[in-house]
Amino acid sequence: MTIRTFFNARLIDPEAGTDAMGSLTIEDGAIIARDGRPAGEVIDCGGKCLAPGIIDIGVKIGEPGERHKEGFRTAGRAAAAGGVTTMVTRPDTTPAIDTPETLDFVKRRARERAPVRVHPMAALTKGREGREMVEMGFLMDAGAVAFTDCDHVIGDNKVFSRAMTYARSVGALIMAHPQDPSLTAGSAVTSGKFASLRGLPAVSPMAERLGLERDMALVEMTGVRYHADNLSTAAALPALERAKAAGLDVTAGVNIHHLTLNELDVGDYRTFFKLKPPLRSEDDRKAMVEAVASGLIDIVCSMHTPQDEESKRLPFEEAASGAVGLQTILPAALRLIHDGSMDLPTLWRALSTNPAKRFGLPGGTLAEGRRADLVLFDPDAPFVLNRFTLESKSKNTPFDEARMQGKVLGTWVGGQRVFG
């Protein structure tokens, strides 16, 4: 029986919306007391922030098929170093996670190698090809927490609506990538003056609005539980707001890079800034930040997408999209605190509490009796990021050599220290 007390801590409680000094006592992996008498091993937090561990949605792991980009061991170490205690992983592997057998392989490999919790999602259609839906019931029994074809948008409305109808019948959550694929095909940046000056193939932000409007109509028709993986434009927000006002069971997420970077960061064709969807205008970035602060957008994630050097050292149009984010999500998100956009409980609601609730996972709270997945961090500690110090096997971060604030001091999963 192991008892630990975190003493002299600045407790960030996203459920209660509080940020106050106090203590937290845990026993055998669970929180047993708040602000009680210190017991067992006493950890002096030195007045630093203690919060629920981050639950990161949409993490890409290269197993099976692309271990040269990322494995569960390296991703798990990066997550622990970044204050991420739970990874919800994507099924866009090689082959796709579309059978119980592949899902079981992923779960076993994660248990063996990752020091943090891993909950896999499964593909919505076989091979993520958008033609034939997977056996959702069997995959849910095997442990799938949601179903998604990731950035492969299902263009056939009949196929998508049938999958939604079946998902509703079994209580499954669908995560979709709201974009119009006919408009986004071949694009590398967001349309506008900057794209024209750089001579890069561009896509209008309206592609996202069209995709979300289509999805919301199908959600209204089927009644499915739906999560938009990564909104990035102000043009899409009215559709989300209307859907929520109408009582549809919908939530939405945003990538930390779309909250902290804009299209001008691409600069002279810097491929580490090539993302999917592409970085947007500064007005769009501000709209996304305001949507998180107001609660219209529910979840902030890193959309961790490792790419090797060969995939990124190409002309901008040809380079692979995506950036690693497990280890940088916390200091990047703290930019929103330092610029006064929101407070820590609001931010942590989007980083931890809301993901836990939406995907049916434990964690995301400091309540008594709940799981002791915790992160201790100094929100003000300055540093300059060196991408080669990241634990991820791939180093494709847009924050290389950036001045940042916020360091993880310790990470606990089930009461056991996995970092610091």
Side-chain angles (χ1 to χ4, degrees):
M1 185 169 63
T2 303
I3 300 176
R4 293 187 181 90
T5 299
F6 296 88
F7 176 73
N8 190 25
R10 182 180 163 191
L11 298 179
I12 310 300
D13 189 335
E15 280 193 312
T18 57
D19 175 353
M21 296 301 295
S23 65
L24 194 73
T25 303
I26 65 174
E27 180 179 3
D28 290 342
I31 298 168
I32 61 170
R34 288 272 297 270
D35 299 328
R37 295 183 62 182
E41 177 191 355
V42 176
I43 299 173
D44 186 351
C45 298
K48 305 307 181 186
C49 295
L50 185 68
I54 295 170
I55 298 174
D56 199 6
I57 307 300
V59 175
K60 169 70 180 288
I61 308 291
E63 295 188 58
E66 294 179 302
R67 284 185 62 191
H68 64 288
K69 294 184 179 181
E70 191 79 285
F72 280 105
R73 180 176 285 111
T74 53
R77 288 202 302 257
V84 175
T85 54
T86 298
M87 300 187 293
V88 177
T89 58
R90 305 199 316 246
D92 52 344
T93 50
T94 306
I97 302 171
D98 57 4
T99 66
E101 292 77 17
T102 310
L103 187 71
D104 184 63
F105 164 81
V106 167
K107 290 180 65 179
R108 284 188 289 105
R109 187 63 65 97
R111 280 195 303 267
E112 293 168 1
R113 303 193 174 194
V116 301
R117 304 185 194 279
V118 178
H119 296 278
M121 294 185 285
L124 183 58
T125 63
K126 293 182 179 180
R128 300 193 303 126
E129 294 175 351
R131 293 199 293 263
E132 183 181 357
M133 66 180 175
V134 297
E135 296 284 355
M136 289 189 206
F138 292 147
L139 283 160
M140 288 179 73
D141 290 342
V145 296
F147 294 86
T148 179
D149 277 355
C150 304
D151 59 355
H152 284 193
V153 178
I154 299 176
D156 189 321
N157 290 334
K158 183 172 286 188
V159 171
F160 200 16
S161 63
R162 284 175 174 170
M164 286 182 165
T165 300
Y166 189 80
R168 182 182 184 277
S169 71
V170 296
L173 174 68
I174 282 181
M175 187 173 89
H177 185 68
Q179 297 288 330
D180 184 301
S182 63
L183 291 177
T184 58
S187 63
V189 292
T190 301
S191 59
K193 183 178 179 180
F194 179 79
S196 298
L197 289 172
R198 289 293 183 268
L200 292 170
V203 59
S204 167
M206 284 298 166
E208 184 166 290
R209 175 180 169 180
L210 287 170
L212 189 62
E213 294 273 16
R214 188 278 302 251
D215 287 3
M216 293 302 94
L218 294 178
V219 170
E220 182 178 358
M221 182 174 79
T222 61
V224 72
R225 297 169 58 226
Y226 174 99
H227 178 72
D229 65 350
N230 190 12
L231 295 188
S232 60
T233 67
L237 294 178
L240 176 63
E241 195 166 14
R242 288 195 304 271
K244 288 191 170 188
L248 301 184
D249 192 353
V250 299
T251 52
V254 61
N255 187 321
I256 189 59
H257 303 109
H258 288 95
L259 292 174
T260 55
L261 304 168
N262 66 33
E263 60 186 348
L264 301 181
D265 286 303
V266 170
D268 293 325
Y269 310 101
R270 299 166 69 189
T271 59
F272 280 179
F273 291 82
K274 185 180 181 184
L275 306 172
K276 189 182 289 185
L279 290 173
R280 306 298 192 179
S281 70
E282 177 63 6
D283 287 342
D284 281 326
R285 187 196 70 81
K286 289 179 178 178
M288 294 299 105
V289 173
E290 291 170 5
V292 173
S294 70
L296 177 59
I297 288 182
D298 307 88
I299 292 172
V300 172
C301 65
S302 76
M303 204 56 66
H304 178 83
T305 305
Q307 302 287 4
D308 56 17
E309 296 286 326
E310 289 73 19
S311 299
K312 283 291 189 181
R313 286 185 176 176
L314 293 169
F316 196 90
E317 295 177 44
E318 301 171 22
S321 299
V324 293
L326 285 166
Q327 206 166 334
T328 55
I329 185 171
L330 186 144
L334 288 174
R335 290 183 171 184
L336 309 177
I337 303 301
H338 297 306
D339 69 10
S341 296
M342 64 190 74
D343 59 21
L344 279 168
T346 299
L347 176 61
W348 241 258
R349 199 172 299 129
L351 286 171
S352 187
T353 304
N354 289 345
K357 290 180 178 178
R358 190 52 168 163
F359 286 78
L361 307 174
T365 178
L366 296 183
E368 293 181 14
R370 303 293 291 276
R371 183 178 283 175
D373 291 353
L374 306 167
V375 56
L376 178 68
F377 64 96
D378 181 346
D380 301 314
F383 67 101
V384 176
L385 182 73
N386 179 347
R387 69 188 183 103
F388 295 106
T389 65
L390 297 178
E391 296 286 352
S392 293
K393 189 173 290 185
S394 294
K395 313 295 182 184
N396 54 307
T397 174
F399 296 116
D400 187 32
E401 299 183 357
R403 296 180 182 274
M404 309 188 83
Q405 279 182 279
K407 283 189 174 182
V408 175
L409 304 176
T411 306
W412 289 261
V413 175
Q416 299 298 313
R417 193 163 196 156
V418 295
F419 176 78

